[in-house]
Amino acid sequence: MSGIKIISTGRALPSKSVTNDDLAQIVDTSDEWIFTRTGIHSRYFCAEGESALTLAIKAADNALSASKITKDDIGCCIVATLSADYATPSLACLVQTELGLPEDIPVFDLNAACSGFIYAMETARSLLTCSGKKYGLVIGVEQLSKILDMNDRGTCVLFGDGAGAAVIECDDDLFYESVLGAKGGKEICCPGVNEGANGSKSYVSMDGKAVFRFATSAIPKCIEMLHEKVDFTLDDIDHVVCHQANSRIIDHVIKKLKADPAKFYKDMDHLGNTSAASIALALSEMDDDGLLQNGQKLLLVGFGSGLTWAGMLITYDKK
Ligand code: ACO
């Protein structure tokens, strides 16, 4: 089977950082309550003139510049998001035009919520394998601040905006495997444009305890499913990058797996939960901080609304 490797990353954050103390001015909450339950201290919200589109363009541009390949080499462009600027045109098509990507390639958005970036990476791999093209651009982006009910302290403190991107290269004989899954349910729900047609705005709602149970079982399940396909242990993996929903979810899993906490990257303290952007953002931060070295093996795990889950074993190999 052809696999993919990550050859560059990029990211973009809005200009406005919102601390827990800032939110405590709006709803009845505190830094202590939010941080002890989620590991989040602050997050970014889009300011005037910023949107999922502006973030996606910047993150993609950064990843492409770092890749040392030409735009003409890109064989597909996929954006994972649940908060695009428009139902149509897709963010991916608008990024394509802005960055001058080729026209004879598949370009589209994909919604698998917080598992979206991994879904998009595997979809890109499949498309590249079929087309025989070598490189793909995959972006995870969210502007969740526009679908947050700022009167609901149970949800508005959890999420943030941001974008991450990766350029991937398709090749044979790579350390690569993926598992994708889903089971329909409304544990995390945002009614979207249809129910908002009467003028009412639609917001994210969530059954927090049910999501906690789902998330803490989805991560070990993805690892187990990958293990059925590839002979590996966590000792073989340099970094585990889970969807950055909540620090307690990751801590719970580390304990359950008796794993080394140092392998599990966390950045929700300053980014919050950025859904489809979170794994891509984490990879880009790790890249810039020098944590990623060529040849390192990564385990990515996503879980989220849908409900969806996704696991991926992939190599980092900067051009
Ligand atoms: N500040 C202060 N008090 C709050 C806040 C807040 N921001 N939010 C809720 N509370 C109150 C509630 O009103 C409730 O008060 P009550 O006992 O007087 O009724 C009390 O705190 C406990 O509320 P719970 O909802 O039971 O809080 P819980 O301990 O379950 O923590 C949390 C909530 C952090 C969301 C937890 O359920 C959780 O971690 N869930 C995982 C879900 C998650 O992280 N989702 C992310 C998005 S989905 C995804 O990415 C996959």
Side-chain angles (χ1 to χ4, degrees):
M1 181 186 83
S2 286
I4 47 172
K5 60 183 180 181
I6 296 169
I7 63 165
S8 71
T9 64
R11 70 182 182 284
L13 291 168
S15 52
K16 188 167 73 176
S17 170
V18 179
T19 65
N20 291 346
D21 288 335
D22 293 333
L23 291 177
Q25 308 288 317
I26 304 169
V27 286
D28 183 11
T29 190
S30 65
D31 180 51
E32 197 271 336
W33 193 98
I34 301 169
F35 185 71
T36 51
R37 281 168 184 78
T38 67
I40 298 168
H41 271 312
S42 62
R43 73 292 289 145
Y44 290 85
F45 284 174
C46 284
E48 182 99 25
E50 295 171 331
S51 72
L53 177 60
T54 65
L55 297 176
I57 290 168
K58 198 167 162 195
D61 200 23
N62 290 341
L64 275 169
S65 305
S67 73
K68 301 195 181 98
I69 65 162
T70 69
K71 291 171 182 175
D72 290 342
D73 291 329
I74 293 293
C76 67
C77 171
I78 307 179
V79 175
T81 187
L82 60 83
S83 55
D85 291 36
Y86 313 102
T88 190
S90 67
L91 286 180
C93 285
L94 296 173
V95 169
Q96 175 200 30
T97 305
E98 184 67 27
L99 298 186
L101 301 180
E103 293 186 2
D104 58 344
I105 60 170
V107 175
F108 60 96
D109 289 358
L110 171 160
N111 178 359
C114 311
S115 309
F117 184 70
I118 300 178
Y119 264 67
M121 294 272 275
E122 170 56 20
T123 304
R125 184 200 68 80
S126 308
L127 289 168
L128 293 173
T129 305
C130 290
S131 68
K133 298 197 181 208
K134 214 168 168 59
Y135 301 102
L137 174 63
V138 181
I139 304 159
V141 60
E142 300 292 5
Q143 186 185 356
L144 299 173
S145 58
K146 71 184 174 195
I147 50 168
L148 292 181
D149 179 353
M150 294 310 289
N151 296 311
D152 177 10
R153 64 180 180 172
T155 52
C156 75
V157 302
L158 302 175
F159 299 96
D161 301 339
V167 176
I168 54 167
E169 180 176 345
C170 196
D171 213 340
D172 294 330
D173 302 324
L174 291 171
F175 175 77
Y176 178 83
E177 194 51 82
S178 73
V179 292
L180 307 178
K183 179 181 189 294
K186 290 190 174 175
E187 289 85 344
I188 312 158
C189 188
C190 185
V193 287
N194 293 334
E195 292 184 33
N198 60 6
S200 66
K201 202 163 175 338
S202 57
Y203 297 116
V204 172
S205 64
M206 182 184 67
D207 177 345
K209 286 191 168 50
V211 173
F212 191 90
R213 282 193 299 277
F214 158 67
T216 49
S217 63
I219 300 173
K221 179 171 153 178
C222 283
I223 296 174
E224 187 53 41
M225 286 163 68
L226 285 168
H227 195 250
E228 282 167 17
K229 294 176 143 192
V230 181
D231 189 19
F232 79 101
T233 70
L234 286 183
D235 290 339
D236 303 322
I237 302 297
D238 295 289
H239 302 283
V240 184
V241 185
C242 295
H243 165 48
Q244 304 285 305
N246 179 320
S247 186
R248 280 197 315 152
I249 291 173
I250 296 178
D251 291 343
H252 188 95
V253 168
I254 290 170
K255 217 166 152 189
K256 200 163 164 178
L257 298 175
K258 297 190 177 62
D260 175 6
K263 287 200 175 183
F264 286 69
Y265 187 75
K266 287 185 190 171
D267 63 13
M268 73 286 284
D269 62 324
H270 60 283
L271 297 182
N273 177 347
T274 57
S275 192
S278 88
I279 292 174
L281 267 169
L283 290 170
S284 173
E285 276 198 345
M286 294 167 75
D287 200 355
D288 281 0
D289 290 348
L291 288 175
L292 297 185
Q293 305 293 327
N294 276 6
Q296 282 188 335
K297 294 178 170 134
L298 312 177
L299 167 61
L300 315 181
V301 187
F303 49 87
S305 181
L307 299 168
T308 57
W309 56 89
M312 179 170 283
L313 295 169
I314 192 164
T315 308
Y316 173 83
D317 193 10
K318 199 170 185 134
K319 275 267 177 212

